[in-house]
Coordinates of all heavy atoms in Angstrom, one line a residue:
H1 N 64.5 74.4 94.1 CA 63.4 74.5 93.2 C 62.6 75.8 93.4 O 62.0 76.2 92.5 CB 62.5 73.3 93.2 CG 63.2 72.0 92.8 ND1 63.9 71.9 91.6 CD2 63.4 70.8 93.4 CE1 64.4 70.7 91.4 NE2 64.1 70.0 92.5
K2 N 62.7 76.3 94.6 CA 61.9 77.5 94.9 C 62.5 78.7 94.1 O 61.7 79.5 93.6 CB 61.9 77.9 96.4 CG 60.9 77.1 97.2 CD 60.9 77.6 98.6 CE 59.9 76.8 99.4 NZ 59.8 77.4 100.7
R3 N 63.8 78.8 94.0 CA 64.4 79.8 93.2 C 64.0 79.8 91.8 O 63.8 80.8 91.2 CB 65.9 79.8 93.3 CG 66.5 80.5 94.4 CD 68.0 80.7 94.2 NE 68.5 81.5 95.3 CZ 69.7 81.6 95.6 NH1 70.6 80.9 94.9 NH2 70.1 82.4 96.5
V4 N 64.0 78.6 91.2 CA 63.6 78.5 89.8 C 62.2 79.0 89.6 O 61.9 79.8 88.7 CB 63.7 77.0 89.3 CG1 63.2 76.9 87.9 CG2 65.2 76.6 89.3
N5 N 61.3 78.6 90.5 CA 59.9 79.1 90.4 C 59.8 80.6 90.6 O 58.9 81.2 90.0 CB 59.0 78.3 91.4 CG 58.9 76.8 91.0 OD1 59.1 76.5 89.8 ND2 58.6 76.0 92.0
L6 N 60.6 81.1 91.5 CA 60.5 82.5 91.8 C 60.9 83.4 90.6 O 60.3 84.4 90.3 CB 61.4 82.9 93.0 CG 61.5 84.3 93.5 CD1 60.1 84.8 94.0 CD2 62.5 84.5 94.5
Y7 N 62.0 83.0 89.9 CA 62.5 83.8 88.8 C 62.0 83.4 87.4 O 62.3 84.0 86.5 CB 64.0 83.6 88.8 CG 64.7 84.3 90.0 CD1 65.4 83.5 90.9 CD2 64.6 85.6 90.2 CE1 66.0 84.1 92.0 CE2 65.1 86.2 91.4 CZ 65.8 85.4 92.3 OH 66.4 86.0 93.4
T8 N 61.2 82.4 87.3 CA 60.6 81.9 86.1 C 59.9 83.1 85.3 O 60.2 83.3 84.1 CB 59.7 80.7 86.2 OG1 60.5 79.7 86.8 CG2 59.2 80.3 84.9
P9 N 59.0 83.8 85.9 CA 58.3 84.9 85.2 C 59.3 86.0 84.7 O 59.2 86.5 83.6 CB 57.4 85.5 86.2 CG 57.2 84.5 87.2 CD 58.4 83.7 87.3
I10 N 60.3 86.3 85.5 CA 61.3 87.3 85.1 C 62.1 86.8 83.9 O 62.4 87.5 82.9 CB 62.2 87.6 86.2 CG1 61.4 88.3 87.4 CG2 63.4 88.5 85.8 CD1 62.2 88.5 88.6
I11 N 62.5 85.5 83.9 CA 63.3 84.9 82.9 C 62.5 84.9 81.6 O 63.0 85.2 80.5 CB 63.8 83.5 83.2 CG1 64.8 83.7 84.4 CG2 64.4 82.8 82.1 CD1 65.2 82.3 85.0
I12 N 61.2 84.4 81.7 CA 60.4 84.4 80.5 C 60.2 85.8 79.9 O 60.2 85.9 78.7 CB 59.1 83.7 80.8 CG1 59.3 82.2 81.1 CG2 58.0 83.8 79.7 CD1 58.1 81.4 81.6
G13 N 60.0 86.8 80.7 CA 59.8 88.1 80.3 C 61.0 88.6 79.6 O 60.9 89.3 78.5
A14 N 62.2 88.3 80.1 CA 63.4 88.8 79.5 C 63.6 88.1 78.1 O 64.1 88.7 77.2 CB 64.6 88.5 80.4
V15 N 63.3 86.8 78.1 CA 63.5 86.1 76.8 C 62.5 86.7 75.7 O 62.9 86.9 74.6 CB 63.2 84.6 77.0 CG1 63.0 83.8 75.7 CG2 64.3 84.0 77.8
I16 N 61.3 86.9 76.1 CA 60.3 87.5 75.2 C 60.8 88.9 74.7 O 60.7 89.2 73.5 CB 58.9 87.6 75.8 CG1 58.4 86.1 76.0 CG2 58.0 88.4 75.0 CD1 57.1 86.0 76.8
A17 N 61.2 89.7 75.6 CA 61.7 91.1 75.3 C 62.9 91.0 74.4 O 63.0 91.7 73.4 CB 62.0 91.9 76.5
D18 N 63.9 90.2 74.7 CA 65.1 90.1 73.9 C 64.8 89.5 72.5 O 65.2 90.1 71.5 CB 66.1 89.2 74.6 CG 67.4 89.1 73.8 OD1 68.0 90.2 73.6 OD2 67.8 88.0 73.4
T19 N 63.9 88.5 72.4 CA 63.6 87.9 71.1 C 62.8 89.0 70.3 O 63.0 89.1 69.1 CB 62.8 86.7 71.3 OG1 63.5 85.7 72.1 CG2 62.4 86.0 69.9
S20 N 61.9 89.7 70.9 CA 61.1 90.7 70.2 C 62.0 91.8 69.6 O 61.9 92.3 68.5 CB 60.1 91.3 71.1 OG 59.2 90.4 71.5
A21 N 63.0 92.2 70.4 CA 63.9 93.2 70.0 C 64.7 92.8 68.8 O 64.9 93.6 67.8 CB 64.9 93.6 71.1
W22 N 65.2 91.5 68.7 CA 65.9 91.0 67.6 C 65.0 90.9 66.3 O 65.4 91.2 65.2 CB 66.6 89.7 67.9 CG 67.8 89.9 68.6 CD1 68.1 89.6 69.9 CD2 69.1 90.4 68.1 NE1 69.3 89.9 70.3 CE2 70.0 90.4 69.2 CE3 69.5 91.0 66.9 CZ2 71.3 90.9 69.1 CZ3 70.8 91.4 66.8 CH2 71.6 91.4 67.9
I23 N 63.8 90.5 66.5 CA 62.8 90.4 65.4 C 62.6 91.8 64.8 O 62.6 92.0 63.6 CB 61.5 89.8 65.9 CG1 61.8 88.3 66.1 CG2 60.4 89.9 64.8 CD1 60.6 87.5 66.8
F24 N 62.3 92.8 65.7 CA 62.1 94.2 65.2 C 63.3 94.8 64.6 O 63.2 95.5 63.6 CB 61.5 95.1 66.3 CG 60.1 94.8 66.6 CD1 59.8 94.4 67.9 CD2 59.1 94.9 65.7 CE1 58.4 94.1 68.2 CE2 57.8 94.6 66.0 CZ 57.4 94.2 67.3
Y25 N 64.5 94.4 65.1 CA 65.7 94.9 64.5 C 65.9 94.3 63.1 O 66.3 95.0 62.1 CB 66.9 94.4 65.4 CG 68.2 94.9 64.8 CD1 68.7 96.2 65.0 CD2 69.1 94.0 64.2 CE1 69.9 96.6 64.5 CE2 70.3 94.4 63.7 CZ 70.7 95.7 63.9 OH 71.9 96.1 63.4
A26 N 65.5 93.0 62.9 CA 65.5 92.4 61.6 C 64.6 93.1 60.6 O 64.9 93.4 59.4 CB 65.2 90.9 61.6
F27 N 63.4 93.5 61.1 CA 62.5 94.2 60.2 C 63.0 95.6 59.9 O 62.8 96.1 58.8 CB 61.1 94.3 60.9 CG 60.3 93.1 60.8 CD1 59.8 92.5 62.0 CD2 59.9 92.5 59.6 CE1 59.0 91.4 61.9 CE2 59.2 91.4 59.5 CZ 58.7 90.8 60.7
S28 N 63.7 96.3 60.8 CA 64.2 97.6 60.5 C 65.3 97.6 59.5 O 65.4 98.5 58.7 CB 64.6 98.3 61.8 OG 65.9 97.7 62.3
T29 N 66.1 96.6 59.5 CA 67.2 96.5 58.6 C 66.7 96.1 57.2 O 67.3 96.3 56.2 CB 68.3 95.5 59.0 OG1 67.7 94.2 59.2 CG2 69.0 96.0 60.3
H30 N 65.5 95.5 57.1 CA 64.9 95.1 55.9 C 64.4 96.3 55.1 O 64.5 96.3 53.9 CB 63.8 94.0 56.1 CG 63.2 93.6 54.8 ND1 63.9 92.8 53.9 CD2 62.0 93.8 54.3 CE1 63.1 92.5 52.9 NE2 61.9 93.1 53.1
G31 N 63.9 97.2 55.8 CA 63.3 98.4 55.2 C 64.2 99.5 54.8 O 63.7 100.5 54.1
M32 N 65.4 99.5 55.3 CA 66.3 100.6 55.0 C 67.7 100.1 54.8 O 67.9 98.9 54.9 CB 66.3 101.7 56.1 CG 66.8 101.2 57.4 SD 66.9 102.4 58.7 CE 65.3 102.9 59.0
E33 N 68.6 101.0 54.5 CA 70.0 100.6 54.3 C 70.5 100.0 55.7 O 70.3 100.6 56.7 CB 70.9 101.7 53.9 CG 70.6 102.2 52.5 CD 71.5 103.3 52.1 OE1 72.7 103.3 52.6 OE2 71.1 104.2 51.3
V34 N 71.2 98.9 55.6 CA 71.7 98.3 56.8 C 72.7 99.2 57.6 O 72.6 99.3 58.8 CB 72.4 96.9 56.5 CG1 73.1 96.3 57.7 CG2 71.4 96.0 55.9
A35 N 73.5 99.9 56.9 CA 74.5 100.8 57.6 C 73.7 101.9 58.4 O 74.1 102.2 59.5 CB 75.4 101.4 56.5
L36 N 72.7 102.4 57.8 CA 71.9 103.4 58.5 C 71.2 102.8 59.8 O 71.2 103.4 60.8 CB 70.9 104.1 57.6 CG 70.0 105.2 58.2 CD1 70.9 106.3 58.6 CD2 69.0 105.6 57.2
A37 N 70.6 101.7 59.6 CA 69.9 101.0 60.7 C 70.8 100.7 61.9 O 70.5 100.9 63.0 CB 69.1 99.8 60.3
V38 N 72.0 100.2 61.5 CA 73.0 99.8 62.5 C 73.5 101.1 63.2 O 73.7 101.1 64.4 CB 74.1 99.0 61.9 CG1 75.3 98.8 62.9 CG2 73.6 97.6 61.4
S39 N 73.8 102.1 62.5 CA 74.3 103.3 63.1 C 73.3 103.9 64.0 O 73.7 104.4 65.1 CB 74.6 104.3 62.0 OG 75.6 103.8 61.1
I40 N 72.0 104.0 63.7 CA 71.0 104.6 64.5 C 70.8 103.7 65.8 O 70.7 104.2 66.9 CB 69.7 104.8 63.8 CG1 69.9 105.9 62.8 CG2 68.6 105.2 64.7 CD1 68.8 106.2 61.9
S41 N 70.9 102.4 65.6 CA 70.7 101.5 66.8 C 71.8 101.6 67.7 O 71.6 101.3 68.9 CB 70.5 100.1 66.3 OG 71.7 99.5 65.8
E42 N 73.0 102.0 67.3 CA 74.1 102.2 68.2 C 73.9 103.4 69.2 O 74.5 103.5 70.2 CB 75.4 102.4 67.5 CG 75.9 101.2 66.8 CD 76.1 100.0 67.7 OE1 76.7 100.2 68.8 OE2 75.7 98.9 67.3
G43 N 72.9 104.2 68.9 CA 72.5 105.3 69.8 C 72.0 104.8 71.1 O 71.9 105.6 72.1
S44 N 71.5 103.6 71.1 CA 71.0 103.0 72.4 C 72.1 103.0 73.5 O 71.8 103.0 74.6 CB 70.4 101.6 72.1 OG 71.4 100.7 71.8
I45 N 73.3 102.9 73.1 CA 74.4 102.9 74.0 C 74.5 104.3 74.7 O 74.6 104.4 76.0 CB 75.8 102.6 73.4 CG1 75.8 101.2 72.8 CG2 76.9 102.8 74.3 CD1 76.9 100.9 71.9
A46 N 74.3 105.4 74.0 CA 74.3 106.7 74.6 C 73.1 106.9 75.5 O 73.2 107.5 76.6 CB 74.3 107.8 73.5
L47 N 72.0 106.3 75.0 CA 70.7 106.4 75.9 C 70.9 105.7 77.2 O 70.5 106.2 78.2 CB 69.5 105.9 75.1 CG 68.2 105.8 75.8 CD1 67.8 107.3 76.2 CD2 67.1 105.2 75.0
A48 N 71.5 104.5 77.1 CA 71.7 103.7 78.3 C 72.7 104.4 79.3 O 72.5 104.4 80.5 CB 72.3 102.3 78.0
A49 N 73.7 105.1 78.7 CA 74.6 105.8 79.6 C 73.9 107.0 80.2 O 74.1 107.3 81.4 CB 75.8 106.3 78.7
F50 N 73.1 107.7 79.5 CA 72.3 108.8 80.0 C 71.4 108.4 81.1 O 71.3 109.0 82.2 CB 71.6 109.5 78.9 CG 70.6 110.6 79.4 CD1 71.1 111.8 79.9 CD2 69.3 110.4 79.5 CE1 70.2 112.8 80.4 CE2 68.4 111.3 80.0 CZ 68.9 112.5 80.4
L51 N 70.7 107.3 80.9 CA 69.8 106.8 81.9 C 70.6 106.4 83.2 O 70.1 106.6 84.3 CB 69.0 105.6 81.4 CG 68.0 106.0 80.3 CD1 67.3 104.7 79.7 CD2 66.9 107.0 80.8
G52 N 71.8 105.8 83.0 CA 72.6 105.4 84.1 C 73.0 106.6 84.9 O 73.1 106.6 86.2
I53 N 73.4 107.7 84.2 CA 73.8 108.9 84.9 C 72.6 109.5 85.7 O 72.7 109.9 86.8 CB 74.3 110.0 83.9 CG1 75.6 109.5 83.3 CG2 74.5 111.3 84.5 CD1 76.1 110.2 82.1
Y54 N 71.4 109.6 85.0 CA 70.3 110.3 85.5 C 69.7 109.5 86.7 O 69.4 110.1 87.8 CB 69.2 110.5 84.4 CG 68.0 111.3 84.9 CD1 68.1 112.7 85.0 CD2 66.8 110.7 85.2 CE1 67.0 113.4 85.4 CE2 65.7 111.4 85.6 CZ 65.8 112.8 85.7 OH 64.8 113.5 86.1
F55 N 69.4 108.2 86.5 CA 68.7 107.4 87.6 C 69.7 106.8 88.6 O 69.3 106.7 89.8 CB 67.9 106.3 86.9 CG 66.7 106.9 86.2 CD1 66.6 106.9 84.8 CD2 65.6 107.4 86.9 CE1 65.5 107.4 84.2 CE2 64.5 107.9 86.3 CZ 64.5 107.9 84.9
N56 N 70.8 106.4 88.2 CA 71.7 105.7 89.1 C 72.9 106.6 89.7 O 73.6 106.2 90.5 CB 72.4 104.5 88.5 CG 71.4 103.4 88.2 OD1 70.3 103.4 88.8 ND2 71.7 102.6 87.2
G57 N 73.0 107.8 89.1 CA 74.0 108.7 89.6 C 75.4 108.2 89.2 O 76.4 108.5 89.9
E58 N 75.5 107.5 88.1 CA 76.9 107.0 87.7 C 77.8 108.1 87.3 O 77.4 109.1 86.8 CB 76.7 106.0 86.5 CG 75.9 104.8 86.9 CD 75.8 103.8 85.7 OE1 76.6 103.9 84.7 OE2 74.9 103.0 85.7
K59 N 79.0 107.9 87.6 CA 80.1 108.9 87.3 C 80.8 108.4 86.1 O 81.3 107.3 86.1 CB 81.0 109.1 88.5 CG 80.3 109.5 89.8 CD 79.7 110.8 89.7 CE 79.1 111.2 91.0 NZ 78.2 112.3 90.9
L60 N 81.0 109.3 85.1 CA 81.7 108.9 83.9 C 83.0 109.7 83.8 O 83.0 110.9 84.3 CB 80.8 109.2 82.6 CG 79.5 108.4 82.5 CD1 78.8 108.7 81.2 CD2 79.8 106.9 82.6
K61 N 83.9 109.2 83.1 CA 85.2 109.9 82.9 C 85.0 110.8 81.6 O 84.1 110.7 80.9 CB 86.3 108.9 82.7 CG 86.6 108.1 83.9 CD 87.8 107.3 83.8 CE 87.9 106.6 85.2 NZ 88.8 105.6 85.3
S62 N 85.9 111.7 81.4 CA 85.8 112.7 80.4 C 85.7 112.0 79.0 O 85.0 112.5 78.1 CB 86.9 113.7 80.4 OG 88.2 113.1 80.3
H63 N 86.5 111.0 78.7 CA 86.4 110.3 77.4 C 85.1 109.6 77.2 O 84.6 109.5 76.1 CB 87.6 109.4 77.2 CG 87.5 108.1 78.1 ND1 87.9 108.1 79.4 CD2 87.1 106.9 77.7 CE1 87.7 106.9 79.9 NE2 87.2 106.1 78.9
Q64 N 84.4 109.2 78.3 CA 83.1 108.6 78.2 C 82.1 109.7 77.8 O 81.2 109.4 77.0 CB 82.8 107.9 79.5 CG 83.6 106.6 79.7 CD 83.4 106.0 81.1 OE1 83.4 106.7 82.1 NE2 83.3 104.7 81.1
H65 N 82.2 110.8 78.4 CA 81.3 111.9 78.1 C 81.5 112.3 76.6 O 80.5 112.6 75.9 CB 81.5 113.1 79.0 CG 81.0 113.0 80.4 ND1 79.6 113.1 80.6 CD2 81.6 112.8 81.6 CE1 79.4 112.9 81.9 NE2 80.6 112.7 82.5
A66 N 82.7 112.4 76.2 CA 83.0 112.7 74.8 C 82.4 111.7 73.9 O 81.8 112.0 72.8 CB 84.5 112.8 74.6
G67 N 82.5 110.4 74.2 CA 81.9 109.3 73.4 C 80.4 109.5 73.3 O 79.8 109.2 72.2
I68 N 79.7 109.8 74.4 CA 78.3 110.0 74.4 C 77.9 111.2 73.5 O 77.0 111.1 72.7 CB 77.7 110.2 75.8 CG1 77.9 108.9 76.6 CG2 76.3 110.6 75.8 CD1 77.6 109.0 78.1
L69 N 78.7 112.2 73.6 CA 78.4 113.4 72.8 C 78.6 113.1 71.3 O 77.7 113.4 70.5 CB 79.3 114.5 73.2 CG 79.2 115.9 72.5 CD1 77.8 116.5 72.8 CD2 80.2 116.8 72.9
V70 N 79.7 112.5 70.9 CA 79.9 112.1 69.5 C 78.9 111.2 69.0 O 78.3 111.3 67.9 CB 81.3 111.5 69.4 CG1 81.5 110.9 68.0 CG2 82.4 112.6 69.6
T71 N 78.5 110.1 69.8 CA 77.5 109.2 69.4 C 76.2 109.8 69.2 O 75.5 109.6 68.2 CB 77.4 108.0 70.4 OG1 78.7 107.4 70.6 CG2 76.4 107.0 70.0
S72 N 75.8 110.7 70.1 CA 74.5 111.4 70.0 C 74.4 112.3 68.8 O 73.5 112.3 68.1 CB 74.2 112.2 71.3 OG 74.2 111.3 72.4
A73 N 75.5 113.0 68.6 CA 75.6 113.9 67.4 C 75.5 113.1 66.1 O 74.8 113.5 65.2 CB 76.9 114.7 67.5
A74 N 76.2 112.0 66.0 CA 76.2 111.2 64.8 C 74.8 110.6 64.6 O 74.3 110.6 63.4 CB 77.2 110.0 65.0
V75 N 74.1 110.1 65.6 CA 72.8 109.6 65.4 C 71.8 110.6 65.0 O 71.0 110.4 64.1 CB 72.3 108.9 66.7 CG1 70.8 108.6 66.7 CG2 73.1 107.6 67.0
L76 N 71.9 111.8 65.6 CA 71.0 112.9 65.1 C 71.3 113.3 63.7 O 70.4 113.6 62.9 CB 71.2 114.1 66.1 CG 70.6 113.9 67.5 CD1 71.0 115.1 68.4 CD2 69.1 113.6 67.5
W77 N 72.6 113.4 63.3 CA 73.0 113.7 62.0 C 72.5 112.7 61.0 O 71.9 113.0 59.9 CB 74.5 113.9 61.9 CG 75.0 114.2 60.5 CD1 74.8 115.4 59.9 CD2 75.7 113.4 59.6 NE1 75.4 115.4 58.6 CE2 75.9 114.1 58.4 CE3 76.1 112.1 59.7 CZ2 76.6 113.6 57.3 CZ3 76.8 111.6 58.6 CH2 77.0 112.3 57.4
L78 N 72.6 111.4 61.3 CA 72.1 110.3 60.4 C 70.6 110.4 60.3 O 70.1 110.2 59.2 CB 72.6 109.0 60.9 CG 74.0 108.6 60.7 CD1 74.4 107.4 61.5 CD2 74.3 108.4 59.2
A79 N 69.9 110.7 61.4 CA 68.5 110.8 61.3 C 68.0 112.0 60.5 O 67.0 111.9 59.7 CB 67.9 110.9 62.7
R80 N 68.8 113.0 60.5 CA 68.4 114.2 59.7 C 68.7 114.0 58.2 O 67.9 114.4 57.4 CB 69.3 115.4 60.2 CG 69.0 116.7 59.4 CD 69.3 117.9 60.2 NE 69.4 119.1 59.5 CZ 68.4 119.7 58.9 NH1 67.2 119.2 58.9 NH2 68.6 120.9 58.3
I81 N 69.7 113.3 57.8 CA 70.0 113.2 56.4 C 69.3 112.0 55.8 O 69.3 111.9 54.5 CB 71.5 113.0 56.2 CG1 72.1 111.7 56.8 CG2 72.3 114.2 56.7 CD1 73.5 111.3 56.3
S82 N 68.7 111.2 56.6 CA 68.0 110.0 55.9 C 66.5 110.3 55.6 O 65.9 111.2 56.1 CB 68.1 108.8 56.8 OG 67.4 109.0 58.1

């Protein structure tokens, strides 16, 4: 029971953050074309990879670097044309 009490604030915080993210995602798709909102939100994968490289020193393979580059370019292009 001590473990449950120890992690309860962390679990509640994660639940609130996750639920809030889905709610805001729903609002974002309501105000614009769904394809554009989904495409831009996929940029979070590139951001997560960049943060992993920068803060955790993760090593990526060449195809993963290429994927980050293509994803970032696509997100920037979509943001520019919208």
Side-chain angles (χ1 to χ4, degrees):
H1 294 308
K2 280 187 177 184
R3 269 195 175 164
V4 172
N5 291 337
L6 179 66
Y7 294 115
T8 299
I10 296 170
I11 293 169
I12 291 172
V15 167
I16 290 170
D18 184 60
T19 304
S20 299
W22 280 109
I23 290 170
F24 286 118
Y25 181 78
F27 282 124
S28 73
T29 58
H30 181 69
M32 65 173 65
E33 291 184 32
V34 174
L36 181 62
V38 169
S39 300
I40 291 174
S41 70
E42 290 302 316
S44 64
I45 296 169
L47 176 63
F50 171 74
L51 293 174
I53 293 167
Y54 186 76
F55 288 109
N56 294 337
E58 294 182 20
K59 304 293 182 197
L60 299 180
K61 297 186 177 176
S62 60
H63 71 280
Q64 292 170 313
H65 283 288
I68 292 171
L69 182 66
V70 169
T71 301
S72 300
V75 168
L76 291 173
W77 180 70
L78 285 169
R80 179 156 166 65
I81 65 169
S82 62

